[in-house]
Amino acid sequence: MTRRAVITGVGHYLPERVVENAEFEATLDTSDEWIRSRSGIERRHFAAEGETTSALATHAAKAALADAGCEADDIDAIVLATSTADFTFPSAATMVQAALGMTKGFAFDVQAVCAGFVYALSNANALILSGQANRVLVIGAETFSRIMDWTDRSTCVLFGDGAGALVLEAQEGAGTKDDRGILSTDLNSDGRYKDLLHVDGGVSTQNTGFLRMQGNQVFRHAVEKLASTANTALDKANLAATDVDWIVPHQANIRIIQGTAKKMGLSMDNVVVTVQDHGNTSAASIPLALSVGKQRGQIKQGDLIVAEAIGGGLAWGAVVLRW
């Protein structure tokens, strides 16, 4: 028998405020058509004043726990992917731990920007496979609206706020590619590309800063690197793209999503797409899409899923799992 990390519950949360593309027309030289044609985004959610990343994460965590039929005290660890934590420290994960009433175990944040959830999922998988935890709550949550330059139409129209979460549980499998759970992971980074996507501030600079992006360059790297990491993860699991039921990609841009699927030889009918309703929610986008995909009836038990993402760093990676 082989120990596997199996998803037993999933949930998400979106702030109440919905911002349609047309709302930007009053302050920027842009239009609904311009935004849709370049990104596929139609609307996004923005957190209310005082609504923090840990608050969004807590809502999503509660939904995932309910879906899994778990209580907070059933959880051994929380791994939270975010680039927009409430404070420099403590971690947003420990704040969620307290909000859930969880008094045992441990919690920590992972920061790999838009690839953060793939990194968090890989870390949580390792915790379970090593026996350090039996149940891990894995969360992606962001309030990117706090780091937008509202005069930069090339970035501020692309991002949104939200959170998604899932419960990973240790279960025994046969050790084959037909097992449920995480079957393989692949993580990568290359710090030479920092300037392509970054925030021009931070603790050491005593300035929060704003998100800056060279969109054309990011696009060029994204399609190649996402298809490559997805195929590498599939190879590690002795699987091929033809075995995949669903790609659940980071929801950054519909053209990147389409280009990656095409490069992998897969139809868009095999892709869970939520970018039109959420925009780019960074580390929250994959768990949001998993939760929405399950709600829609797209994702079913036994489906083979590839989740892939790329973000600032550059950092990128993929996870292959069976639902």
Side-chain angles (χ1 to χ4, degrees):
M1 301 294 282
T2 300
R3 189 173 169 95
R4 296 288 195 189
V6 177
I7 297 173
T8 58
V10 65
H12 70 275
Y13 176 78
L14 292 160
E16 183 177 343
R17 183 186 174 197
V18 178
V19 178
E20 302 286 344
N21 287 343
E23 191 169 324
F24 290 101
E25 295 175 4
T27 57
L28 293 169
D29 180 17
T30 193
S31 67
D32 176 45
E33 190 280 329
W34 189 90
I35 297 168
R36 286 187 193 223
S37 65
R38 286 160 177 78
S39 68
I41 297 167
E42 299 174 20
R43 64 192 61 83
R44 75 288 293 144
H45 294 248
F46 285 163
E49 185 176 352
E51 191 174 31
T52 62
T53 294
S54 69
L56 305 187
T58 300
H59 285 297
K62 288 179 178 178
L65 288 170
D67 190 48
C70 288
E71 303 291 335
D73 280 340
D74 296 323
I75 301 297
D76 300 310
I78 298 173
V79 184
L80 195 160
T82 188
S83 298
T84 51
D86 305 14
F87 299 113
T88 302
F89 68 83
S91 68
T94 55
M95 298 176 73
V96 173
Q97 182 186 31
L100 294 175
M102 177 181 158
T103 56
K104 66 168 192 173
F106 57 95
F108 62 93
D109 290 353
V110 170
Q111 205 272 51
V113 202
C114 298
F117 192 76
V118 169
Y119 274 60
L121 206 50
S122 181
N123 274 273
N125 180 56
L127 289 172
I128 287 177
L129 296 190
S130 67
Q132 293 185 72
N134 289 316
R135 284 194 187 93
V136 182
L137 185 58
V138 191
I139 308 169
E142 302 282 16
T143 49
F144 260 52
S145 61
R146 313 299 197 218
I147 52 171
M148 290 295 104
D149 177 352
W150 298 111
T151 67
D152 181 4
R153 73 168 186 169
S154 69
T155 58
C156 73
V157 301
L158 301 178
F159 292 86
D161 302 335
L166 57 79
V167 176
L168 273 187
E169 181 180 304
Q171 294 185 10
E172 293 299 324
T176 72
K177 61 187 179 182
D178 295 321
D179 287 350
R180 288 183 66 205
I182 294 176
L183 302 177
S184 66
T185 65
D186 182 63
L187 302 180
N188 309 268
S189 66
D190 191 334
R192 294 176 298 172
Y193 298 113
K194 179 203 76 173
D195 290 342
L196 300 189
L197 177 56
H198 68 287
V199 169
D200 58 2
V203 178
S204 293
T205 60
Q206 292 289 288
N207 172 32
T208 302
F210 296 113
L211 185 146
R212 306 299 182 193
M213 180 171 67
Q214 298 177 33
N216 290 338
Q217 289 297 312
V218 171
F219 180 89
R220 183 175 64 82
H221 283 278
V223 172
E224 177 190 350
K225 287 177 167 57
L226 289 173
S228 176
T229 188
N231 285 322
T232 297
L234 285 165
D235 287 344
K236 289 180 179 180
N238 295 314
L239 291 160
T242 51
D243 297 311
V244 174
D245 293 299
W246 295 104
I247 301 175
V248 182
H250 168 50
Q251 308 285 320
N253 182 304
I254 192 62
R255 293 190 295 175
I256 292 174
I257 294 170
Q258 291 167 338
T260 303
K262 182 178 180 181
K263 199 168 183 66
M264 292 180 67
L266 291 172
S267 163
M268 285 299 291
D269 292 337
N270 299 102
V271 183
V272 175
V273 180
T274 61
V275 68
Q276 70 278 4
D277 296 320
H278 304 157
N280 183 343
T281 55
S282 190
S285 79
I286 287 176
L288 264 170
L290 286 169
S291 182
V292 170
K294 182 185 177 185
Q295 280 189 348
R296 289 174 180 165
Q298 293 174 293
I299 297 173
K300 299 180 177 65
Q301 186 167 317
D303 283 353
L304 187 73
I305 294 170
V306 178
E308 33 85 347
I310 188 169
L314 292 173
W316 67 99
V319 174
V320 174
L321 62 93
R322 193 171 298 280
W323 196 258

